[in-house]
Each structure stands twice: as structure tokens, then as C-alpha cells.
Amino acid sequence: KVEALENVDGAEKFLKKIEIPHVNAKSVLSTLYTLGMRFSHIYPELPSVSKDIILKNRVSEFYRQEEKNE
């Protein structure tokens, strides 16, 4: 039987839930990307490579928008 990690006995000892407000999601995602976090590091399958390419383009667009707003 597959069970969600948060439902495992003692999960509160090793799991911490972090809620990111929607308005900050792009900023957090861009920061994680800049720090080297990629989908393909977490999920090493071929679809993750395409997600990384899309993410790279979105992060670049986010930083261009940030520069315009300064």
C-alpha cells in the first residue's frame, strides 16, 4: 500500500511543510534555479530535461522583467 509521507507515523520528526505564497512562487523558483536545482536532478528521466529547458526560459524571462521594473 502506498501512503503519503505526511501520513507516516513520526513524519513530523523528519518532514517540514513550507507554504510559499503564490505571489512569491516565481521568485523562489528562480532562486532555486540559480542555486542549481533542476528537475533532472530530482527526477532523472527524459521529460525532466524538457522541463529544465522550459524552466531556464521562464527564469530568464523573470529576470528580464525584474530588470525592467527596477
Side-chain angles (χ1 to χ4, degrees):
K1 174 182 165 186
V2 177
E3 190 172 335
L5 277 177
E6 59 194 26
N7 296 334
V8 173
D9 288 337
E12 65 280 350
K13 294 178 185 175
F14 59 89
L15 291 180
K16 177 73 176 167
K17 184 175 184 175
I18 300 173
E19 292 187 29
I20 300 169
H22 186 285
V23 296
N24 297 344
K26 284 185 180 180
S27 177
V28 170
L29 187 60
S30 295
T31 301
L32 289 172
Y33 181 84
T34 301
L35 292 171
M37 293 294 293
R38 305 290 189 272
F39 286 105
S40 56
H41 291 126
I42 300 167
Y43 307 106
E45 298 102 15
L46 189 56
S48 296
V49 175
S50 62
K51 285 183 179 183
D52 282 342
I53 293 168
I54 292 168
L55 178 61
K56 180 181 179 182
N57 291 331
R58 288 183 178 167
V59 168
S60 295
E61 179 61 29
F62 173 78
Y63 283 127
R64 280 194 294 275
Q65 290 290 5
E66 288 290 306
E67 288 176 357
K68 286 181 184 179
N69 294 335
E70 290 180 356

